[in-house]
Amino acid sequence: KSFGIADRCRFHSSLIEEALLEPESFDLITSMSVIEHIPDDRGAIQKMWDLLKPGGVLLISIPCAAKASEEYTNLNDYELIDTGESGFVFWQRYYDEALIQQRIYSITGQPRRFQIYAEKEAGSYNRNVTQKRTDPYYSYWREPLMMGMQYEFRSRLADLPGMGVIAMEFVKPGHKSNP
């Protein structure tokens, strides 16, 4: 309400697979650091792409690395995904060029533009995550400074020394609809 957009925004309390939304009904869809936490990431991308109007824009950011990997955890904080027999639950996926091609570009095509921001030195991401998880006095307010000092822009995923994030902008082919 304070932004004056309440009449233009709606919130839906459902998973994307269950969302009862009209196809081709959105001009813009954003997903910032969410896709990597969805086991059926390809299905989520397909659903977002189907919901986008021709000429609409899809903005996505996902963690990336030179080699893809997945993480599992013994903490099921959100209880949206079933814990496996091993006692672990899927936590997140790190994408390399092949996995992005398979899970995203195969649906959306190539992005109009993208930007990669990654560790300067392999291991700084993992050290930071460990510190966050173990230090009750972790200084979250210092993260912008840490990112500025320990990360840099890169042009190719294959050249990453460790972890990073890639932000991508896609435009759905077709003519933009009039509102």
Side-chain angles (χ1 to χ4, degrees), residues 2 44 58 90 104 115 125 149 162 173-175:
S2 63
L58 175 61
F90 175 79
I104 299 173
Q115 185 67 62
Y125 169 81
M149 295 177 69
H175 298 292

Side-chain angles (χ1 to χ4, degrees), residues 20 54 98 117 166 178:
L20 300 174
Y117 198 57
I166 181 171
N178 291 331

Side-chain angles (χ1 to χ4, degrees), residues 65-84:
K67 185 174 187 244
S69 63
E70 290 185 350
E71 287 182 340
Y72 293 80
T73 181
N74 61 346
L75 302 174
N76 195 353
D77 294 333
Y78 305 113
E79 298 182 7
L80 296 172
I81 303 170
D82 292 333
T83 301

Side-chain angles (χ1 to χ4, degrees), residues 123-133 138 143 146:
S124 61
Y125 169 81
N126 287 330
R127 285 190 299 276
N128 180 259
V129 168
T130 299
Q131 187 177 11
K132 279 185 205 179
R133 290 180 179 161
Y138 178 81
E143 285 200 351
M146 178 270 301

Side-chain angles (χ1 to χ4, degrees), residues 132-146:
K132 279 185 205 179
R133 290 180 179 161
T134 59
D135 181 357
Y137 303 105
Y138 178 81
S139 302
Y140 286 92
W141 61 269
R142 291 181 52 97
E143 285 200 351
L145 175 61
M146 178 270 301

Side-chain angles (χ1 to χ4, degrees), residues 49-50 70 82 93 100 114-116 123 130 132 173 176:
W49 198 245
D50 292 345
E70 290 185 350
D82 292 333
R93 181 177 292 111
I100 290 175
F114 69 91
Q115 185 67 62
I116 303 167
T130 299
K132 279 185 205 179
K176 189 164 183 131

Side-chain angles (χ1 to χ4, degrees), residues 92-110:
Q92 71 180 337
R93 181 177 292 111
Y94 296 90
Y95 295 80
D96 62 6
E97 289 178 10
L99 196 59
I100 290 175
Q101 178 64 45
Q102 176 190 31
R103 304 274 178 99
I104 299 173
Y105 297 172
S106 64
I107 296 167
T108 62
Q110 295 293 314

